[in-house]
Amino acid sequence: MRGLFLLLVLVSFNVLSQDMSTVSGTVTNGRNGETVIGAKVYIPSIRKGTITNNYGFYSLTVPSGVYEVEFRVTGMKTEKDSIDLTSDVLYDKEIGSDTQLIDEVVVTAKGDDNTKSAQLGQIDLDIDEIKTIPAFMGEVDIIKTIQLLPGVSSAAEGGQGFYVRGGGPDQNLVLLDEAVVYNAAHLFGFFSVFNADAVKSVSLIKGGMPANFGGRMSSVLEVNMNEGNYKHLKIKGGIGAISSRFTVEAPIKKDRGSFIVSGRRTYIDLIMRAAIPSTSPFAGSSYYFYDLNLKLNYRLSKKDKIYLSSYYGKDEFRFGNAEDDFDVAMPWGNAIAAFRWNHIFNGRLFMNVSGTFTDYLFSFGSKQDEFRFELKSGIRDWGSKVDFTYLPGQRHKLKWGAHYTYHTFTPTSVSASQEDVVFDTGLAQKLFSHESALYFLDEFDITDKLRVNAGLRYSMFHHVGPFKRYIKGDISTPDSIITYNEGDLIQFYHGLEPRVSMRWMLPDASSIKAGYSYNYQYVHLTSLSAVSLPTDIWFPTTSIAKPQVGWQGSVGYFRNFLKNQYETSVEVYYKDMNNLIEYKEGALPSDNVNDNTDNLLTFGKGWSYGIEFFVRRTYGNLTGWIGYTWSKTERVFETLNNGEPFPAKYDRRHDFSAVMTYKLNDRWTFSSAFIYATGNTLTLPTSWYVQDQDLLFTYGQRNSTRMAPYHRLDVSAILHSKPYQQKIDPTTGESMQVKKRFKSNWVFSIYNVYNRANPYFLYVDNDGDFLDGNFEISVKQVTLFPIIPSITWNFEF
């Protein structure tokens, strides 16, 4: 450790002893004034460069002199400016205009970052590319696109929960403008909460998580919203098979502030209302969802900028049967808000301060005759953090900061009544906790070949009162209750989380990367289903449910071909996970009445390992990727499966995807997506018998049966309106081409082209009569979606 510290000091001294100057500033898009994430600022003469952060800020320290600096942004021509760097310079750059656009589908402008970056397992996706990928029912879906990447899989047909390298859906940190999203699904998991019209960038980290992220063990999905147009009013939207979208963005003050408002709503309820007669006992049954995004931004000065982001989305499901006087209502949704302040102290020091709010609530209510039952669960967070970025020289990038979150968990709140009688279901469970962390990381070049990103995170978790601990007795010991008052410390956990990743450049411009991360996770997701549903319960770490602790090691080979047009990589990983949770055999969430959820849980560990292959074309008319993953994921719980290891329910040996987009000309774009995956696991009976006229089953090993493999082909075609119109120049009388302000396109897509009957779940059924000798047991498959064509019309002006 002393040797590493001495090496850092010597490298820093060598950099600072030279006559150095810093150019820094913000890169913005000339078309709309929004900051550009991932723009490359590069000086070819000395082969040094950097990229802008999530707020468009860049800083590059080089030997003093006069340089030609290149600014490179996806889909735009490279711009070159001569900058005098004999002293520090603050240089804001507005790049691109409508006349400069290169009308090609381009994935990334980062060039050789695939090989030169020290980060493993990070994939950035361009939102315009996501919009070209075939979508279910025409609904562009960010998370379904993420599921097409190697190392990432879905739970089942249409399922919204995603699983990264063997981790569960609760092990993914999903962020929308830095605020945590606990349930990223609409329509029971068939659509995500992210409206693509309001999204600016998408980034997934599935390995080598840097120290500035924490609280989860598997991955980080970072989604940033559009800022809104700083130049002029812009309106866009779309009308699809099941939903419509509408977005407005405009300046608050030109080139200083902007806003964006984007809304989306399905009309399934309107279709059901028209399809179900008023005389039907099911009249009134309906389902719909809606969401609304709002963002305000304002530049207070050249060094200060503030952002206010918010999201609200809700699903409403209702089923009724008038004949049986039965009614079910099930609403759930997210409310999210984030306030951020950026400040540039100088050309080398950048700060971001954030305050966030997250509220997720699920409710289930039913009524039959005079009996009413209601169950609620949810989680509410208040968070704050401060992050600093310091760039002392061309070989160093330092980050440090502090994060804090106040959690309020409501695992279950149950109420029941019969006419005027209210049943005693106990008080609503509420659990309170404080989660905090400090971190420091340094990305530095030891030599031109060796780059290291090393960081350390110290996390803490306080479970505090008020709280009632229900202690279950046995035959000789009665049940008892321990009561904690407000603010009482019930349990405290803490730990160090070391993170390191490194890159070694090889002579042929390829590289080898390796990484290690150690993570604590203080929140859990309890589920009885094989897919992620809104009924799943979020639960904190307690004195019984200890924090999940895991580590992941990975190593990979990265190489680009044909002047960075093709990116390729092979990564091998191993992940170890401890203190995983499952419900005990026979336990149900409704058993929480006058009890604690963690009394119903059992605890175990797991592991996952695999190899991922990835080939990606990032430039030209033909773009896309091919990914393949071989992996194995297992769990072991002392009280489940006789203590023997068993496959995780989302364990998949093979996972293959191929995504291709071809731009034929300015008007037609074609795309396809093919998926093949090993079937999910489940537990089925191995034999049956009759006892006292009851049919009983003997079950085999846990998750010992596999469904049939899942595979599907989707295709789409996009027809764009003509980009130009002919007009007569009033001065010369000559015909000229003028770019249209109103643009539109038609998206024609087919989901499941060859009508594959993919399994959603299997169940055991019986036919015949045992006494007649024709009794048979069979396993039947439920399939959700056949071939589904759809049409969507999009517009903007």
Side-chain angles (χ1 to χ4, degrees):
M1 196 70 182
R2 290 180 180 177
L4 179 60
F5 177 75
L6 180 60
L7 180 61
L8 293 176
V9 171
L10 290 175
V11 171
S12 301
F13 179 78
N14 181 56
V15 170
L16 296 174
S17 63
Q18 301 179 45
D19 186 13
M20 310 292 286
S21 297
T22 299
V23 57
S24 62
T26 303
V27 178
T28 55
N29 187 321
R31 289 173 290 162
N32 53 32
E34 287 198 26
T35 55
V36 180
I37 299 172
K40 189 163 189 177
V41 182
Y42 185 69
I43 302 178
S45 60
I46 58 174
R47 301 177 67 181
K48 299 295 180 183
T50 187
I51 61 173
T52 57
N53 66 10
N54 282 354
Y55 300 97
F57 174 76
Y58 74 94
S59 177
L60 182 60
T61 300
V62 296
S64 298
V66 179
Y67 297 98
E68 185 177 78
V69 181
E70 293 183 355
F71 294 87
R72 304 174 183 175
V73 174
T74 296
M76 299 180 185
K77 293 179 180 178
T78 298
E79 295 191 14
K80 303 177 181 180
D81 294 354
S82 179
I83 302 177
D84 185 352
L85 288 179
T86 54
S87 60
D88 291 351
V89 175
L90 182 62
Y91 194 86
D92 293 334
K93 176 65 178 177
E94 185 176 86
I95 182 171
S97 66
D98 287 342
T99 59
Q100 292 177 304
L101 288 177
I102 303 172
D103 293 324
E104 294 179 343
V105 179
V106 182
V107 176
T108 179
K110 296 182 181 179
D112 55 6
D113 277 7
N114 176 57
T115 57
K116 289 190 174 181
S117 167
Q119 182 64 53
L120 283 92
Q122 178 168 343
I123 300 177
D124 300 322
L125 290 174
D126 183 79
I127 192 64
D128 290 329
E129 183 195 25
I130 292 175
K131 289 181 178 180
T132 66
I133 296 173
F136 174 65
M137 300 293 285
E139 278 295 307
V140 176
D141 196 314
I142 288 170
I143 291 186
K144 282 190 171 51
T145 303
I146 293 296
Q147 292 170 352
L148 297 172
L149 298 172
V152 185
S153 60
S154 63
E157 173 86 81
Q160 193 59 57
F162 64 101
Y163 303 83
V164 179
R165 292 183 171 178
D170 61 321
Q171 295 177 1
N172 305 310
L173 179 63
V174 182
L175 300 173
L176 179 63
D177 275 0
E178 300 189 16
V180 176
V181 181
Y182 282 99
N183 187 311
H186 282 308
L187 190 56
F188 300 100
F190 294 108
F191 301 105
S192 79
V193 299
F194 302 115
N195 179 355
D197 285 351
V199 171
K200 180 178 183 177
S201 66
V202 180
S203 180
L204 175 71
I205 301 174
K206 56 183 179 174
M209 189 185 299
N212 54 309
F213 294 109
R216 301 294 188 275
M217 289 205 302
S218 286
S219 74
V220 179
L221 177 60
E222 203 173 7
V223 180
N224 292 296
M225 287 173 54
N226 283 323
E227 297 173 19
N229 201 305
Y230 288 81
K231 303 291 185 179
H232 53 76
L233 173 68
K234 185 176 182 179
I235 296 174
K236 60 183 176 181
I239 301 173
I242 64 168
S243 72
S244 292
R245 313 175 313 277
F246 191 75
T247 302
V248 178
E249 50 185 300
I252 298 174
K253 182 177 181 181
K254 189 173 181 180
D255 293 328
R256 290 291 298 271
S258 67
F259 74 88
I260 180 172
V261 180
S262 185
R264 176 176 58 162
R265 192 193 191 279
T266 60
Y267 22 77
I268 305 172
D269 56 321
L270 303 179
I271 298 172
M272 293 177 67
R273 198 173 301 164
I276 302 175
S278 58
T279 55
S280 169
F282 302 105
S285 298
S286 67
Y287 170 81
Y288 66 91
F289 74 76
Y290 63 89
D291 46 36
L292 181 69
N293 295 80
L294 170 66
K295 189 171 182 178
L296 307 172
N297 320 271
Y298 200 82
R299 296 187 184 110
L300 302 175
S301 68
K302 278 185 170 290
K303 293 188 175 184
D304 296 276
K305 187 173 182 179
I306 56 174
Y307 305 80
L308 179 61
S309 311
S310 64
Y311 166 87
Y312 183 77
K314 194 171 185 180
D315 290 65
E316 291 277 0
F317 172 78
R318 184 173 180 268
F319 173 80
N321 186 329
E323 288 183 352
D324 297 331
D325 193 20
F326 177 72
D327 186 78
V328 170
M330 192 159 60
W332 72 92
N334 296 282
I336 296 169
F339 175 80
R340 293 172 291 169
W341 167 45
N342 297 164
H343 178 68
I344 302 171
F345 289 95
N346 53 52
R348 302 182 186 187
L349 182 59
F350 176 88
M351 179 188 71
N352 177 62
V353 178
S354 302
T356 61
F357 170 79
T358 298
D359 187 36
Y360 169 68
L361 180 65
F362 165 79
S363 177
F364 173 89
S366 67
K367 179 184 75 69
Q368 186 163 24
D369 298 326
E370 297 300 323
F371 178 77
R372 298 176 182 272
F373 174 83
E374 186 175 25
L375 181 147
K376 293 181 179 180
S377 70
I379 177 172
R380 174 174 291 181
D381 286 354
W382 293 92
S384 61
K385 65 176 185 172
V386 57
D387 300 282
F388 293 90
T389 303
Y390 180 57
L391 301 104
Q394 57 186 332
R395 289 183 177 270
H396 273 276
K397 181 179 180 180
L398 291 86
K399 286 186 177 181
W400 68 91
H403 298 176
Y404 168 78
T405 304
Y406 178 65
H407 299 286
T408 302
F409 294 84
T410 308
T412 21
S413 172
V414 179
S415 62
S417 63
Q418 177 84 37
E419 295 183 336
D420 296 331
V421 178
V422 178
F423 298 101
D424 180 15
T425 56
L427 298 174
Q429 284 193 43
K430 282 187 180 292
L431 295 93
F432 305 91
S433 56
H434 305 273
E435 183 176 354
S436 55
L438 303 171
Y439 76 89
F440 176 84
L441 69 86
D442 185 8
E443 181 171 291
F444 54 96
D445 292 343
I446 296 177
T447 68
D448 288 339
K449 292 185 177 181
L450 180 59
R451 174 176 293 175
V452 176
N453 185 316
L456 186 64
R457 185 181 184 91
Y458 175 61
S459 61
M460 295 162 283
F461 187 87
H462 300 73
H463 178 204
V464 297
F467 177 68
K468 283 188 176 183
R469 164 61 65 194
Y470 294 90
I471 300 175
K472 295 301 178 181
D474 52 29
I475 297 176
S476 59
T477 307
D479 294 351
S480 60
I481 300 175
I482 300 176
T483 301
Y484 296 90
N485 297 320
E486 183 175 354
D488 288 351
L489 178 62
I490 302 167
Q491 190 69 40
F492 172 64
Y493 295 98
H494 66 111
L496 291 174
E497 305 177 33
R499 319 280 178 82
V500 63
S501 61
M502 58 188 69
R503 175 228 68 199
W504 179 264
M505 294 298 299
L506 298 175
D508 58 359
S510 62
S511 65
I512 294 175
K513 302 181 186 181
Y516 172 86
S517 62
Y518 191 88
N519 300 69
Y520 280 82
Q521 178 171 326
Y522 299 103
V523 297
H524 309 269
L525 186 67
T526 59
S527 174
L528 288 173
S529 65
V531 295
S532 181
L533 293 173
T535 52
D536 297 346
I537 294 173
W538 287 96
F539 192 77
T541 289
T542 65
S543 57
I544 294 178
K546 294 177 170 54
Q548 298 182 58
V549 182
W551 64 268
Q552 179 182 176
S554 56
V555 62
Y557 175 75
F558 298 76
R559 183 169 182 174
N560 289 6
F561 294 92
L562 298 178
K563 297 181 179 180
N564 299 318
Q565 291 189 40
Y566 291 88
E567 299 176 357
T568 66
S569 64
V570 180
E571 289 189 60
V572 180
Y573 69 88
Y574 182 89
K575 179 186 291 183
D576 187 78
M577 298 163 280
N578 295 283
N579 301 331
L580 304 178
I581 66 171
E582 294 275 1
Y583 274 112
K584 293 177 181 177
E585 295 284 5
L588 294 172
S590 57
D591 296 336
N592 287 335
V593 175
N594 284 321
D595 201 353
N596 302 123
T597 299
D598 50 8
N599 285 331
L600 309 176
L601 304 177
T602 184
F603 308 95
K605 61 183 180 179
W607 53 88
S608 178
Y609 52 89
I611 183 170
E612 300 169 358
F613 299 87
F614 192 44
V615 179
R616 189 180 188 187
R617 191 169 196 265
T618 60
Y619 184 81
N621 289 333
L622 178 64
T623 60
W625 67 81
I626 296 175
Y628 170 75
T629 304
W630 183 97
S631 63
K632 189 171 184 178
T633 304
E634 291 186 310
R635 301 283 187 264
V636 60
F637 287 75
E638 186 177 345
T639 61
L640 301 178
N641 202 48
N642 299 317
E644 296 293 326
F646 57 88
K649 58 189 176 185
Y650 37 83
D651 170 56
R652 287 181 173 176
R653 199 69 66 247
H654 306 282
D655 216 324
F656 173 84
S657 62
V659 178
M660 297 294 166
T661 299
Y662 179 68
K663 183 177 180 182
L664 179 65
N665 51 43
D666 287 342
R667 300 200 63 193
W668 282 102
T669 299
F670 300 92
S671 63
S672 65
F674 175 76
I675 306 167
Y676 176 91
T678 302
N680 284 351
T681 65
L682 75 162
T683 307
L684 288 178
T686 56
S687 62
W688 59 272
Y689 58 95
V690 176
Q691 181 176 316
D692 297 330
Q693 298 185 345
D694 291 327
L695 179 63
L696 303 175
F697 294 100
T698 301
Y699 285 85
Q701 294 288 305
R702 191 179 182 92
N703 294 342
S704 58
T705 302
R706 282 198 181 272
M707 299 184 192
Y710 182 97
H711 52 88
R712 191 187 79 238
L713 173 67
D714 306 331
V715 298
S716 71
I718 304 175
L719 175 61
H720 296 270
S721 60
K722 293 181 179 179
Y724 298 96
Q725 60 182 351
Q726 296 290 333
K727 284 193 174 182
I728 303 299
D729 189 324
T731 305
T732 63
E734 296 180 355
S735 178
M736 62 179 182
Q737 281 192 336
V738 178
K739 200 161 190 176
K740 290 182 178 179
R741 180 171 173 78
F742 183 87
K743 302 174 186 178
S744 66
N745 64 66
W746 290 91
V747 182
F748 308 93
S749 63
I750 302 176
Y751 180 88
N752 196 5
V753 170
Y754 51 85
N755 200 31
R756 163 72 175 174
N758 284 305
Y760 185 62
F761 65 84
L762 306 180
Y763 69 96
V764 177
D765 195 14
N766 61 81
D767 296 300
D769 189 276
F770 183 75
L771 297 177
D772 293 340
N774 60 354
F775 183 78
E776 291 183 351
I777 294 287
S778 61
V779 177
K780 296 186 178 180
Q781 173 180 301
V782 174
T783 298
L784 288 184
F785 302 118
I787 180 173
I788 301 177
S790 62
I791 300 176
T792 303
W793 180 64
N794 301 305
F795 62 89
E796 66 175 75
F797 57 90

PDB file of all heavy atoms in Angstrom, residues 380-395:
ATOM      1  N   ARG A 380     -40.352   4.907   0.527  1.00  0.00           N
ATOM      2  CA  ARG A 380     -40.154   6.348   0.283  1.00  0.00           C
ATOM      3  C   ARG A 380     -38.738   6.723   0.712  1.00  0.00           C
ATOM      4  O   ARG A 380     -38.297   6.359   1.802  1.00  0.00           O
ATOM      5  CB  ARG A 380     -41.177   7.170   1.048  1.00  0.00           C
ATOM      6  CG  ARG A 380     -40.954   8.679   0.955  1.00  0.00           C
ATOM      7  CD  ARG A 380     -42.077   9.445   1.619  1.00  0.00           C
ATOM      8  NE  ARG A 380     -43.322   9.318   0.868  1.00  0.00           N
ATOM      9  CZ  ARG A 380     -44.457   9.908   1.215  1.00  0.00           C
ATOM     10  NH1 ARG A 380     -44.513  10.648   2.316  1.00  0.00           N
ATOM     11  NH2 ARG A 380     -45.546   9.755   0.486  1.00  0.00           N
ATOM     12  N   ASP A 381     -38.030   7.431  -0.171  1.00  0.00           N
ATOM     13  CA  ASP A 381     -36.650   7.852   0.086  1.00  0.00           C
ATOM     14  C   ASP A 381     -36.523   9.365  -0.010  1.00  0.00           C
ATOM     15  O   ASP A 381     -37.096   9.988  -0.923  1.00  0.00           O
ATOM     16  CB  ASP A 381     -35.677   7.255  -0.942  1.00  0.00           C
ATOM     17  CG  ASP A 381     -35.421   5.777  -0.729  1.00  0.00           C
ATOM     18  OD1 ASP A 381     -35.904   5.232   0.272  1.00  0.00           O
ATOM     19  OD2 ASP A 381     -34.747   5.174  -1.589  1.00  0.00           O
ATOM     20  N   TRP A 382     -35.747   9.934   0.908  1.00  0.00           N
ATOM     21  CA  TRP A 382     -35.250  11.298   0.787  1.00  0.00           C
ATOM     22  C   TRP A 382     -33.727  11.183   0.728  1.00  0.00           C
ATOM     23  O   TRP A 382     -33.113  10.615   1.626  1.00  0.00           O
ATOM     24  CB  TRP A 382     -35.665  12.154   1.985  1.00  0.00           C
ATOM     25  CG  TRP A 382     -37.140  12.406   2.073  1.00  0.00           C
ATOM     26  CD1 TRP A 382     -38.058  11.672   2.751  1.00  0.00           C
ATOM     27  CD2 TRP A 382     -37.867  13.473   1.458  1.00  0.00           C
ATOM     28  NE1 TRP A 382     -39.311  12.194   2.604  1.00  0.00           N
ATOM     29  CE2 TRP A 382     -39.232  13.315   1.808  1.00  0.00           C
ATOM     30  CE3 TRP A 382     -37.505  14.552   0.644  1.00  0.00           C
ATOM     31  CZ2 TRP A 382     -40.225  14.189   1.374  1.00  0.00           C
ATOM     32  CZ3 TRP A 382     -38.502  15.431   0.212  1.00  0.00           C
ATOM     33  CH2 TRP A 382     -39.840  15.244   0.575  1.00  0.00           C
ATOM     34  N   GLY A 383     -33.134  11.713  -0.334  1.00  0.00           N
ATOM     35  CA  GLY A 383     -31.699  11.536  -0.508  1.00  0.00           C
ATOM     36  C   GLY A 383     -30.974  12.834  -0.802  1.00  0.00           C
ATOM     37  O   GLY A 383     -31.566  13.805  -1.282  1.00  0.00           O
ATOM     38  N   SER A 384     -29.692  12.845  -0.502  1.00  0.00           N
ATOM     39  CA  SER A 384     -28.841  13.990  -0.845  1.00  0.00           C
ATOM     40  C   SER A 384     -27.435  13.472  -1.093  1.00  0.00           C
ATOM     41  O   SER A 384     -27.039  12.426  -0.555  1.00  0.00           O
ATOM     42  CB  SER A 384     -28.828  15.024   0.284  1.00  0.00           C
ATOM     43  OG  SER A 384     -28.304  14.453   1.478  1.00  0.00           O
ATOM     44  N   LYS A 385     -26.694  14.187  -1.900  1.00  0.00           N
ATOM     45  CA  LYS A 385     -25.305  13.805  -2.132  1.00  0.00           C
ATOM     46  C   LYS A 385     -24.528  14.973  -2.698  1.00  0.00           C
ATOM     47  O   LYS A 385     -25.099  15.916  -3.265  1.00  0.00           O
ATOM     48  CB  LYS A 385     -25.202  12.599  -3.058  1.00  0.00           C
ATOM     49  CG  LYS A 385     -25.695  12.814  -4.481  1.00  0.00           C
ATOM     50  CD  LYS A 385     -25.442  11.547  -5.294  1.00  0.00           C
ATOM     51  CE  LYS A 385     -25.790  11.749  -6.752  1.00  0.00           C
ATOM     52  NZ  LYS A 385     -25.388  10.606  -7.582  1.00  0.00           N
ATOM     53  N   VAL A 386     -23.235  14.915  -2.516  1.00  0.00           N
ATOM     54  CA  VAL A 386     -22.333  15.899  -3.089  1.00  0.00           C
ATOM     55  C   VAL A 386     -21.167  15.132  -3.700  1.00  0.00           C
ATOM     56  O   VAL A 386     -20.623  14.208  -3.093  1.00  0.00           O
ATOM     57  CB  VAL A 386     -21.850  16.920  -2.028  1.00  0.00           C
ATOM     58  CG1 VAL A 386     -21.165  16.229  -0.858  1.00  0.00           C
ATOM     59  CG2 VAL A 386     -20.920  17.950  -2.661  1.00  0.00           C
ATOM     60  N   ASP A 387     -20.820  15.485  -4.930  1.00  0.00           N
ATOM     61  CA  ASP A 387     -19.751  14.809  -5.662  1.00  0.00           C
ATOM     62  C   ASP A 387     -18.784  15.849  -6.217  1.00  0.00           C
ATOM     63  O   ASP A 387     -19.218  16.868  -6.791  1.00  0.00           O
ATOM     64  CB  ASP A 387     -20.318  13.990  -6.824  1.00  0.00           C
ATOM     65  CG  ASP A 387     -21.290  12.926  -6.359  1.00  0.00           C
ATOM     66  OD1 ASP A 387     -20.833  11.890  -5.871  1.00  0.00           O
ATOM     67  OD2 ASP A 387     -22.521  13.137  -6.501  1.00  0.00           O
ATOM     68  N   PHE A 388     -17.503  15.581  -6.068  1.00  0.00           N
ATOM     69  CA  PHE A 388     -16.463  16.452  -6.602  1.00  0.00           C
ATOM     70  C   PHE A 388     -15.647  15.681  -7.638  1.00  0.00           C
ATOM     71  O   PHE A 388     -15.363  14.488  -7.455  1.00  0.00           O
ATOM     72  CB  PHE A 388     -15.526  16.929  -5.486  1.00  0.00           C
ATOM     73  CG  PHE A 388     -16.172  17.838  -4.482  1.00  0.00           C
ATOM     74  CD1 PHE A 388     -16.777  17.321  -3.350  1.00  0.00           C
ATOM     75  CD2 PHE A 388     -16.165  19.217  -4.671  1.00  0.00           C
ATOM     76  CE1 PHE A 388     -17.376  18.147  -2.418  1.00  0.00           C
ATOM     77  CE2 PHE A 388     -16.767  20.052  -3.746  1.00  0.00           C
ATOM     78  CZ  PHE A 388     -17.366  19.521  -2.619  1.00  0.00           C
ATOM     79  N   THR A 389     -15.282  16.375  -8.708  1.00  0.00           N
ATOM     80  CA  THR A 389     -14.368  15.833  -9.710  1.00  0.00           C
ATOM     81  C   THR A 389     -13.191  16.788  -9.832  1.00  0.00           C
ATOM     82  O   THR A 389     -13.383  17.991 -10.076  1.00  0.00           O
ATOM     83  CB  THR A 389     -15.045  15.674 -11.081  1.00  0.00           C
ATOM     84  OG1 THR A 389     -16.194  14.840 -10.952  1.00  0.00           O
ATOM     85  CG2 THR A 389     -14.091  15.061 -12.090  1.00  0.00           C
ATOM     86  N   TYR A 390     -11.981  16.264  -9.670  1.00  0.00           N
ATOM     87  CA  TYR A 390     -10.767  17.089  -9.748  1.00  0.00           C
ATOM     88  C   TYR A 390      -9.813  16.457 -10.749  1.00  0.00           C
ATOM     89  O   TYR A 390      -9.532  15.249 -10.681  1.00  0.00           O
ATOM     90  CB  TYR A 390     -10.101  17.187  -8.379  1.00  0.00           C
ATOM     91  CG  TYR A 390      -8.847  18.022  -8.372  1.00  0.00           C
ATOM     92  CD1 TYR A 390      -8.869  19.348  -8.792  1.00  0.00           C
ATOM     93  CD2 TYR A 390      -7.638  17.485  -7.936  1.00  0.00           C
ATOM     94  CE1 TYR A 390      -7.717  20.121  -8.785  1.00  0.00           C
ATOM     95  CE2 TYR A 390      -6.474  18.255  -7.922  1.00  0.00           C
ATOM     96  CZ  TYR A 390      -6.525  19.568  -8.358  1.00  0.00           C
ATOM     97  OH  TYR A 390      -5.388  20.326  -8.356  1.00  0.00           O
ATOM     98  N   LEU A 391      -9.349  17.256 -11.704  1.00  0.00           N
ATOM     99  CA  LEU A 391      -8.451  16.779 -12.750  1.00  0.00           C
ATOM    100  C   LEU A 391      -7.131  17.533 -12.662  1.00  0.00           C
ATOM    101  O   LEU A 391      -6.963  18.576 -13.306  1.00  0.00           O
ATOM    102  CB  LEU A 391      -9.095  16.961 -14.128  1.00  0.00           C
ATOM    103  CG  LEU A 391     -10.445  16.217 -14.281  1.00  0.00           C
ATOM    104  CD1 LEU A 391     -11.593  17.206 -14.196  1.00  0.00           C
ATOM    105  CD2 LEU A 391     -10.509  15.429 -15.563  1.00  0.00           C
ATOM    106  N   PRO A 392      -6.187  17.043 -11.847  1.00  0.00           N
ATOM    107  CA  PRO A 392      -4.935  17.776 -11.620  1.00  0.00           C
ATOM    108  C   PRO A 392      -4.002  17.758 -12.809  1.00  0.00           C
ATOM    109  O   PRO A 392      -3.126  18.624 -12.925  1.00  0.00           O
ATOM    110  CB  PRO A 392      -4.319  17.040 -10.433  1.00  0.00           C
ATOM    111  CG  PRO A 392      -4.861  15.656 -10.525  1.00  0.00           C
ATOM    112  CD  PRO A 392      -6.244  15.801 -11.067  1.00  0.00           C
ATOM    113  N   GLY A 393      -4.139  16.787 -13.693  1.00  0.00           N
ATOM    114  CA  GLY A 393      -3.255  16.692 -14.847  1.00  0.00           C
ATOM    115  C   GLY A 393      -3.786  15.688 -15.830  1.00  0.00           C
ATOM    116  O   GLY A 393      -4.839  15.073 -15.634  1.00  0.00           O
ATOM    117  N   GLN A 394      -3.045  15.510 -16.919  1.00  0.00           N
ATOM    118  CA  GLN A 394      -3.522  14.647 -17.992  1.00  0.00           C
ATOM    119  C   GLN A 394      -3.520  13.168 -17.606  1.00  0.00           C
ATOM    120  O   GLN A 394      -4.121  12.345 -18.283  1.00  0.00           O
ATOM    121  CB  GLN A 394      -2.665  14.856 -19.241  1.00  0.00           C
ATOM    122  CG  GLN A 394      -1.179  14.623 -19.023  1.00  0.00           C
ATOM    123  CD  GLN A 394      -0.356  14.988 -20.239  1.00  0.00           C
ATOM    124  OE1 GLN A 394      -0.847  14.913 -21.354  1.00  0.00           O
ATOM    125  NE2 GLN A 394       0.885  15.395 -20.032  1.00  0.00           N
ATOM    126  N   ARG A 395      -2.846  12.811 -16.506  1.00  0.00           N
ATOM    127  CA  ARG A 395      -2.775  11.415 -16.096  1.00  0.00           C
ATOM    128  C   ARG A 395      -3.697  11.081 -14.920  1.00  0.00           C
ATOM    129  O   ARG A 395      -3.746   9.934 -14.492  1.00  0.00           O
ATOM    130  CB  ARG A 395      -1.342  11.045 -15.723  1.00  0.00           C
ATOM    131  CG  ARG A 395      -0.402  10.956 -16.906  1.00  0.00           C
ATOM    132  CD  ARG A 395       0.989  10.516 -16.464  1.00  0.00           C
ATOM    133  NE  ARG A 395       1.888  10.360 -17.596  1.00  0.00           N
ATOM    134  CZ  ARG A 395       2.052   9.220 -18.276  1.00  0.00           C
ATOM    135  NH1 ARG A 395       1.345   8.164 -17.936  1.00  0.00           N
ATOM    136  NH2 ARG A 395       2.890   9.149 -19.286  1.00  0.00           N
TER     137      ARG A 395
END
